[in-house]
Structure formats: structure tokens, C-alpha cells
Amino acid sequence: MSSPKGWTVISRSTCVGRGREAYERARALLTRWRVMDNVAWAGVLSPAKKNEEKESPVVTYAKCYGGLMWVRNPCRQVYEDVDVPLKHRARDADCFFNQLSPSARLSQVAYSTLQGHLIRGEERLAVLWDGYEPSKDPSSSELGRVYFAIRSVSAGSGLVGSLLFPFMRPMQDRFFASQLDSMQTSVSEKP
């Protein structure tokens, strides 16, 4: 998929397990914003959301510049879909989603940046259970793979952000790789 003019699209995904148990662990981590629990240099914070809130504050943070400083980036959760059939999803034309079975189950959250963030855009985090079949034994580990996927659409924000954006790309790549690794580790750990 090509990037919209002036924007960078990054998509990453990894298999984090198989079957219902792995999907439920991954979904719980995702919806509680615990996707970076195993990362020491960066993370995502979100206060407990009230039931009626559709949008809630989110903060991403990272140690940067050789560990000399921490940066905090203001964001807002813009949507959450929990345990919906993939075929009912209409968020975007993500190529990774198109490779999965229409019966796959999907849970996803997304946040957009706010004023004060050097990057503008949106990041979507999704957990997908491919091969979900309600007619099979739900405890079976042979029900298909569970994936964690990230899709970011971003650009520099303002003059300073636009000038620095090309230099921030390696940090974005490291941030996304750390999210993937953290989810693999967290989902594989037994509670």
C-alpha cells in the first residue's frame, strides 16, 4: 500500500500464539494498554477509562538521545473494537488483514497524536485470531494463529517536527519492534 503524499505508513505484525487462550491474553493486554510491559526504554500509559468515555488520554513515552532524556507524547484514544468479526471491520484497507480468514476475530485500539507531539498521525494496534471457528472445541490450541499487528500513519508535526521527522524514523521502527517483542513475550507467559 502506498503512503498518502507527505505521510509515512508503517505496518508490522507477528504471530504471538495459537488458540483461544493466547487470543484472550493478547486482547486483555491490548485493551488495557499493556502492550509494552516488557520494554524498559519506552511505553504507553492510559488512565482507567470510564465506561461512557469513547476517547481517553494516552501518553507514549521513550528514553532517547542516547538515554539522556525522556520524552512524553500526548495522544488520545480514538476508537476501540473488541472481539468483532474481521469481515465487519471497515477501518482501512490494510494488506495484512486481507490475508486472513473472514471468520477471524479482531480486537483493536487506536490513538491519534495531540498538539505538543512532534509527530502527527494515528497508530492502530490490533490482535487477530485467524481461523476462529465457533463450531470447534473452544479450548483447542489448534484453532488458528493469533497475531499482533501495528499500523502507523504519520508525518512530522509543525516546522520542528517536520524537520526532525526523518531522524525520528529509526526510533519509530525501534518502538514498533519493541511492541511486537513485548507482546510475544507477554502472551507466551503463563499468568
Side-chain angles (χ1 to χ4, degrees), residues 18-25 129 132 138-141 143 146:
R18 293 184 72 89
R20 179 182 299 276
E21 189 176 324
Y23 175 71
E24 289 175 351
R25 277 199 309 270
W129 180 12
Y132 168 80
S139 63
S140 172
S141 63
L143 288 178
V146 177

Side-chain angles (χ1 to χ4, degrees), residues 34-51:
R34 306 235 0 239
V35 297
M36 295 190 79
D37 278 4
N38 297 302
V39 179
W41 71 273
V44 179
L45 298 173
S46 180
K49 183 171 57 166
K50 296 179 179 79
N51 289 339

Side-chain angles (χ1 to χ4, degrees), residues 6-114:
W7 294 82
T8 299
V9 177
I10 303 170
S11 293
R12 304 279 188 271
S13 62
T14 190
C15 179
V16 295
R18 293 184 72 89
R20 179 182 299 276
E21 189 176 324
Y23 175 71
E24 289 175 351
R25 277 199 309 270
R27 180 185 63 203
L29 290 164
L30 175 76
T31 58
R32 294 180 186 134
W33 291 98
R34 306 235 0 239
V35 297
M36 295 190 79
D37 278 4
N38 297 302
V39 179
W41 71 273
V44 179
L45 298 173
S46 180
K49 183 171 57 166
K50 296 179 179 79
N51 289 339
E52 67 275 0
E53 280 185 313
K54 291 185 179 174
E55 297 182 355
S56 61
V58 176
V59 174
T60 62
Y61 61 91
K63 189 184 290 189
C64 59
Y65 308 112
L68 295 176
M69 66 184 288
W70 287 90
V71 294
R72 291 181 303 163
N73 302 301
C75 304
R76 174 184 61 238
Q77 179 177 327
V78 291
Y79 64 81
E80 175 179 274
D81 296 323
V82 178
D83 203 27
V84 297
L86 183 61
K87 65 183 175 187
H88 292 140
R89 172 209 43 83
R91 296 283 184 209
D92 60 56
D94 193 317
C95 295
F96 175 74
F97 283 13
N98 295 332
Q99 299 170 23
L100 303 176
S101 161
S103 66
R105 302 301 289 180
L106 167 70
S107 291
Q108 63 183 354
V109 296
Y111 63 84
S112 64
T113 60
L114 296 174

